[in-house]
Amino acid sequence: LGASWMARGRHGLAGVVFALGWFKPQLFAIVPLMLVARRQWRALGTFVATSAVLAVASLAIASARGFAAWRALLASHAYRDWIVGVIGWKMQSLPALARVLVPSPMASLAAVVGTLIGVGFALFVCVSAFRAPRTPEPNEEFEWWAMACLAALVASPHLFLYALVLAAFPC
């Protein structure tokens, strides 16, 4: 929806919708980079404002202690053993593929290398979007967001099968 509104020139609303993506930060971290690369300042402003409102609301609901507990869970051995070890086969990204292709003792290093390659691709997309001539063509704007979406899918260190619904957009 955000990409569609960007292509239609409804940048303020697109920024609001993109900010809702913080529930999956590994997939939406590219959004502010693309907004800067495409020089979409109104969308960036509403993205930042909506993100701030969501952060304050989340902090009010969960409290600082809730965030600390969440962060501790993500760093725990139990989480890593369950997500990476038991159900890691459901992950569908370059870091996950790299982790599966190497012997277990090298899996962490392979995941880091896969992530770095994916992030490199995402940065390439952002730099290319920045260097591209700006035209008012809606299709061109839509294509840039499709490329950003693909870059996020490739680079994500945590992309489960159900999140592949995001691939429908660039396809």
Side-chain angles (χ1 to χ4, degrees):
L1 183 60
S4 178
W5 279 351
M6 287 299 293
R8 292 183 186 141
R10 304 196 65 188
H11 301 164
L13 289 172
V16 170
V17 169
F18 281 138
L20 297 176
W22 282 118
F23 76 97
K24 282 289 210 186
Q26 72 274 19
L27 297 178
F28 284 83
I30 197 169
V31 167
L33 297 174
M34 281 297 291
L35 292 173
V36 169
R38 299 295 298 152
R39 297 171 195 86
Q40 299 294 352
W41 308 121
R42 187 179 323 138
L44 182 63
T46 57
F47 173 84
V48 169
T50 304
S51 297
V53 167
L54 291 172
V56 168
S58 295
L59 190 57
I61 293 168
S63 78
R65 194 162 47 187
F67 275 98
W70 172 69
R71 193 175 62 239
L73 174 66
L74 293 179
S76 72
H77 289 290
Y79 178 84
R80 188 174 47 248
D81 291 345
W82 174 252
I83 296 298
V84 176
V86 177
I87 60 173
W89 63 271
K90 292 183 180 182
M91 287 193 211
Q92 306 294 313
S93 63
L94 189 56
L97 176 64
R99 194 180 310 115
V100 168
L101 291 177
V102 301
S104 293
M106 297 175 58
S108 293
L109 176 61
V112 169
V113 170
T115 299
L116 290 175
I117 292 169
V119 168
F121 176 61
L123 290 175
F124 172 77
V125 169
C126 289
V127 169
S128 298
F130 181 78
R131 290 183 174 168
R134 302 259 336 251
T135 65
E137 284 293 317
N139 284 343
E140 180 183 320
E141 192 66 33
F142 206 67
E143 290 166 2
W144 280 114
W145 285 100
M147 284 300 296
C149 187
L150 282 175
L153 288 169
V154 169
S156 175
H158 182 85
L159 178 76
F160 282 106
L161 289 171
Y162 63 79
L164 280 177
V165 70
L166 192 62
F169 166 63
C171 290

